[in-house]
């Protein structure tokens, strides 16, 4: 009898869509908070007061102006863009593979994108046609690398519209190792100028954020983010398998191609400016699915906001815990994200269906 | 205004699985596709729905399906696959609404609940689909399929339900309930094509039957003409005898020994 009395009530999934809409508003507020924290913290002292003064148009000292507008603001914008693109490409990829473990960083897509970026930097100088792409060369090459790895991964791990988790993860390990090894070889043969370029692009942190990088990666990321909502209904249908999606009139092949392109573009651009930052793409969509359900119509925009907020906050942590030095942001997201990931595995072993 | 196919050939892997199959079904009737395991019932269904590439042509309400767009097809016919995986923890009502979104009754806010009570799942709206039993999942999927073509007769002709083993994992009460549901759909002007294994349910629930064997149509027509001792013996390779129940002349099939057909 006690057991009956204490039996959990029916899961409160009633009208999760409207709860997701309220969550959307809350996440904008969270992003605003994170942005304020990010602008107000750092090695040099620009106080909160100075920050508000700057916003209201009052005079700032020269140093404050440089710190705020040329260091912290581009870093904030880049962090938000990268966080949003990591979380959304994670969610899109999970929808495409019908699997909550698919994540660009985990299954080698980020490594492929990194290889693309490094190839462009080390070998690209000799290729004249690449020049037309200008500042976009490195993000574009990363996009190609990410696209190729996503295609290979999908081909290897999906048969007749079903994705094998084990194959996907193993293929991802192989792809990641291969791309990592090739990247290592390229770094080894790079000359001094190229090494400087490699450091400039960062490939591992947000430390070198500049307006130039925002300009190079921003448009690609924004385009991929704007395309994501159009995938939502298709990804919902794909959750029932490719056949059922087809019967419901969803253009399955188009949705798949568009999803692969958007994952590759968002991951490629994010990797080009910040390297492979792990766990955002897997933890953010998962938490949102727990809170407001798996419907992609709200999952994708909410993932963008939560991903952006979390990465900006992780960046604040990376700049403050060992100030004046900086912890690479990848370490912060791993310390925060990996335990959450393990907890997901523990709780949801059945659902993930290995 | 019917569902018609001519010369359907399907290759799967190296082998040809359907050999020049002709098929037709009329609205207002339930057409059962029967036959032994591996005889090509699912393959025929998947060719009819345009899911598999095939030779031959399929006409739905007089229109060549090769020329119809995906969303146009979705407004004309809904399909229940033999099994449907679900990737994420959607609730039952969320799954049903996915079907509703792709049909013509997308705006009706009460439709999902009505469809769920039609399949005897009233009150299951907010349960997680993955936590339902096998038979409950199958009925929830049937509700998703129903809401996609909820009105059996549209302005431009009948709507179609194509169901691959809709009663396979249901108990006898729900089997009869689902058969009554699809019969009612046909009575109101829609067309129903269902792959069936239970010959007795076919006998009482279907108007026409198509007997498949080894990728070909062995017999097709009104149920009493297809379910005969000779056809069944040839199709299933075991002795089966068809009898008529005294009540209303419907036939029933009684397995008659476990030996091979004489
Ligand atoms: N993907 C495939 N590749 C190769 N052969 C296949 C494939 N799918 C089915 N077949 C073969 O095609 C034949 C027909 O299969 P189909 O699924 O249509 O049978 P069925 O009549 O629906 O059987 P059941 O009653 O078991 O559902 C079988 O011999 C099967 O082995
Ligand atoms: Mg079958």
């Amino acid at each position: 009898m006690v057991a009956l009395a204490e039996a959990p009530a029916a899961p409160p999934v009633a009208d999760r869509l409207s709860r997701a809409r309220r969550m959307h508003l809350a996440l904008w507020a969270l992003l605003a908070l994170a942005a304020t924290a990010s602008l107000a913290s750092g090695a040099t002292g620009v106080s909160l007061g100075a920050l508000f003064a700057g916003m209201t148009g009052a005079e700032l000292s020269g140093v404050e102006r440089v710190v705020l507008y040329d260091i912290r603001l581009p870093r904030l914008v880049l962090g938000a863009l990268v966080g949003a693109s990591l979380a959304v490409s994670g969610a899109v990829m999970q929808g495409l593979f019908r699997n909550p473990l698919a994540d660009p960083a985990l299954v080698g897509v980020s490594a492929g994108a990194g290889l693309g970026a490094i190839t462009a930097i080390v070998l690209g100088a000799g290729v004249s046609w690449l020049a037309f792409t200008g500042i976009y060369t490195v993000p574009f090459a990363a996009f190609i690398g990410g696209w190729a790895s996503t295609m290979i991964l999908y081909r290897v791990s999906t048969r007749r519209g079903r994705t094998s988790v084990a194959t996907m993860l193993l293929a991802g390990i192989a792809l990641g190792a291969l791309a990592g090894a090739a990247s290592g070889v390229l770094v080894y043969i790079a000359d001094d100028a190229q090494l400087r370029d490699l450091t400039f692009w960062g490939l591992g942190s947000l430390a070198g954020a500049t307006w130039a990088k925002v300009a190079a990666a921003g448009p690609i990321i924004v385009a991929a983010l704007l395309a994501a909502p159009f995938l939502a209904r298709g990804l919902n249908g794909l959750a029932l398998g490719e056949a059922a999606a087809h019967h419901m009139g969803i253009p399955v092949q188009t949705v798949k191609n568009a999803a692969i392109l958007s994952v590759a573009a968002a991951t490629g651009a994010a990797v080009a400016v910040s390297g492979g930052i792990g766990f955002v793409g897997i933890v953010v969509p998962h938490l949102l699915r727990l809170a407001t359900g798996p419907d992609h119509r709200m999952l994708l925009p909410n993932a963008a906001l939560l991903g952006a907020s979390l990465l900006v906050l992780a960046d604040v942590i990376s700049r403050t815990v060992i100030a004046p030095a900086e912890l690479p942001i990848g370490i912060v997201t791993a310390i925060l994200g990996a335990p959450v990931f393990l907890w997901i595995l523990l709780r949801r072993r059945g659902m993930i269906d290995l | 205004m019917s569902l018609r196919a001519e010369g359907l050939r399907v290759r799967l892997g190296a082998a040809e699985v359907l050999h020049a199959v002709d098929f037709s079904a009329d609205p207002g009737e339930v057409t059962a596709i029967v036959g032994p395991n591996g005889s090509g019932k699912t393959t025929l269904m998947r060719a009819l729905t345009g899911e598999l590439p095939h030779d031959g042509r399929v006409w739905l309400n007089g229109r060549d399906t090769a020329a119809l767009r995906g969303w146009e097809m979705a407004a004309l016919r809904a399909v229940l696959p033999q099994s449907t995986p679900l990737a994420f923890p959607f609730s039952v009502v969320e799954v049903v609404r996915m079907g509703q979104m792709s049909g013509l009754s997308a705006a009706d806010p009460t439709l999902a609940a009505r469809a769920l009570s039609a399949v005897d799942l009233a009150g299951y709206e907010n349960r997680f689909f993955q936590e339902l039993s096998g038979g409950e999942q199958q009925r929830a999927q049937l509700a998703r399929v129903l809401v996609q073509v909820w009105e059996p007769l549209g302005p431009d002709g009948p709507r179609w339900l194509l169901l691959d083993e809709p009663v396979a994992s249901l108990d006898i009460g729900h089997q009869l309930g689902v058969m009554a549901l699809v019969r009612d759909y046909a009575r109101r002007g829609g067309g129903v094509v269902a792959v069936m294994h239970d010959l007795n349910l076919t006998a009482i629930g279907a108007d026409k039957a198509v007997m498949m064997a080894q990728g070909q149509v062995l017999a097709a027509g009104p149920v009493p003409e297809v379910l005969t001792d000779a056809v069944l013996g040839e199709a299933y390779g075991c002795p089966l005898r068809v009898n008529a129940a005294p009540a209303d002349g419907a036939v029933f099939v009684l397995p008659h020994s476990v030996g091979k057909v004489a």
Side-chain angles (χ1 to χ4, degrees):
Chain A
M1 290 314 281
V2 176
L4 260 186
E6 284 176 357
V13 287
D15 212 6
R16 293 193 287 189
L17 200 61
S18 58
R19 205 161 80 203
R21 294 212 175 91
R22 289 198 296 278
M23 169 84 84
H24 190 69
L25 295 179
L27 287 173
W28 276 111
L30 178 66
L31 183 59
L33 271 178
T36 315
S38 166
L39 289 178
S41 61
T44 41
V46 175
S47 65
L48 212 54
L51 175 60
F52 283 122
M55 275 190 217
T56 50
E59 276 302 302
L60 292 175
S61 74
V63 177
E64 282 173 337
R65 193 185 293 275
V66 169
V67 167
L68 212 52
Y69 292 132
D70 292 336
I71 298 177
R72 290 194 192 161
L73 200 54
R75 186 161 181 162
L76 164 66
V77 172
L78 201 68
L81 284 173
V82 166
S85 84
L86 291 175
V88 169
S89 49
V92 170
M93 191 151 179
Q94 286 144 27
L96 172 70
F97 281 79
R98 294 169 283 273
N99 193 291
L101 285 185
D103 169 54
L106 204 66
V107 294
V109 173
S110 299
L115 175 61
I118 293 173
T119 308
I121 292 169
V122 176
L123 304 179
V127 188
S128 54
W129 65 265
L130 263 180
F132 87 95
T133 49
I135 55 165
Y136 300 111
T137 307
V138 174
F140 183 73
F143 158 64
I144 297 290
W147 179 67
S149 12
T150 316
M151 291 287 281
I152 294 173
L153 196 68
Y154 196 84
R155 276 295 181 78
V156 171
S157 58
T158 304
R159 280 190 66 215
R160 281 195 238 125
R162 294 247 193 153
T163 305
S164 149
V165 193
T167 318
M168 176 190 78
L169 293 177
L170 293 174
I173 291 172
L175 271 178
L178 201 62
S183 304
V185 170
L186 286 174
V187 171
Y188 186 74
I189 64 171
D191 62 31
D192 279 355
Q194 290 162 345
L195 281 178
R196 230 181 349 266
D197 269 354
L198 284 173
T199 341
F200 168 77
W201 281 102
L203 297 173
S205 79
L206 288 173
T210 59
W211 285 117
K213 282 193 196 178
V214 173
I220 304 178
I221 292 179
V222 169
L225 290 180
L226 290 180
F230 295 101
L231 293 171
R233 203 185 142 239
L235 294 177
N236 280 347
L238 276 182
L240 290 160
E242 287 185 21
H246 167 84
H247 297 144
M248 292 193 292
I250 289 163
V252 172
Q253 204 53 47
T254 313
V255 169
K256 275 160 49 180
N257 288 338
I260 289 175
L261 280 178
S262 115
V263 166
T267 308
V271 165
V273 291
S274 68
I277 296 177
F279 296 105
V280 178
I282 205 155
V283 168
V284 167
H286 195 91
L287 290 178
L288 287 171
R289 267 188 223 107
L290 282 181
T292 55
D295 189 327
H296 290 88
R297 284 173 296 173
M298 286 314 288
L299 179 65
L300 296 177
N302 284 354
L305 291 175
L306 186 58
S309 312
L310 286 189
L311 205 73
V312 167
L313 288 175
D315 185 46
V316 170
I317 296 176
S318 83
R319 280 184 284 158
T320 45
V321 274
I322 53 166
E326 263 190 37
L327 210 57
I329 188 165
I331 292 181
V332 178
T333 61
I335 290 175
L336 296 177
V340 179
F341 180 57
L342 289 174
W343 168 75
I344 292 171
L345 283 181
L346 261 181
R347 275 205 44 193
R348 296 255 151 180
R349 259 181 298 198
M351 190 198 80
I352 285 158
D353 187 25
L354 281 164
Chain B
M1 289 292 164
S2 62
L3 172 58
R4 237 161 29 84
E6 266 173 29
L8 287 183
R9 287 177 185 277
V10 173
R11 300 194 135 270
L12 287 174
E16 188 176 278
V17 174
L18 279 193
H19 317 292
V21 167
D22 296 338
F23 178 90
S24 88
D26 289 313
E29 293 182 341
V30 175
T31 305
I33 302 176
V34 290
N37 292 143
S39 57
K41 304 181 297 297
T42 295
T43 310
L44 171 59
M45 190 70 109
R46 292 172 68 202
L48 291 174
T49 61
E51 187 190 329
L52 283 179
H54 56 79
D55 288 349
R57 295 170 70 185
V58 179
W59 293 269
L60 189 59
N61 292 356
R63 301 173 69 182
D64 191 334
T65 54
L68 286 175
R69 311 281 293 269
W71 57 268
E72 292 176 303
M73 290 272 274
L76 286 178
R77 59 100 184 94
V79 185
L80 180 72
Q82 194 165 352
S83 69
T84 311
L86 182 67
F88 297 105
F90 284 97
S91 69
V92 172
V93 69
E94 286 168 344
V95 169
V96 175
R97 287 220 185 98
M98 276 187 218
Q100 190 182 350
M101 297 271 296
S102 35
L104 296 181
S105 328
D108 187 337
T110 63
L111 189 57
R114 281 190 284 151
L116 281 170
S117 67
V119 297
D120 197 23
L121 286 178
Y124 281 61
E125 282 82 352
N126 293 327
R127 298 271 303 269
F128 284 117
F129 179 84
Q130 288 154 329
E131 293 175 358
L132 301 185
S133 77
E136 288 167 344
Q137 290 192 349
Q138 200 175 7
R139 283 185 280 136
Q141 290 290 349
L142 182 61
R144 167 180 71 79
V145 168
L146 277 175
V147 294
Q148 188 180 328
V149 288
W150 184 252
E151 296 298 338
L153 209 51
D156 53 343
R159 298 291 182 263
W160 293 84
L161 289 173
L162 305 181
L163 315 170
D164 195 347
E165 305 203 15
V167 296
S169 48
L170 306 188
D171 64 73
I172 186 152
H174 285 117
Q175 286 186 330
L176 294 172
V178 167
M179 289 314 288
L181 188 71
V182 299
R183 284 206 66 76
D184 180 59
Y185 191 86
R187 191 185 54 72
R188 291 186 290 133
V192 179
V193 178
V195 173
M196 301 283 295
H197 270 304
D198 189 321
L199 297 175
N200 289 312
L201 274 181
T202 306
I204 59 175
D207 303 289
K208 299 272 176 63
V210 174
M211 176 66 76
M212 298 288 298
Q214 291 166 8
Q216 284 171 317
V217 175
L218 190 64
V223 169
E225 290 171 27
V226 174
L227 299 188
T228 62
D229 295 359
V231 170
L232 294 177
E234 185 178 347
Y236 293 94
C238 55
L240 294 169
R241 182 149 302 163
V242 179
N243 292 286
D248 56 357
V251 298
F252 69 89
V253 180
L254 195 62
H256 140 111
S257 79
V258 292
K260 283 274 164 211
V261 71

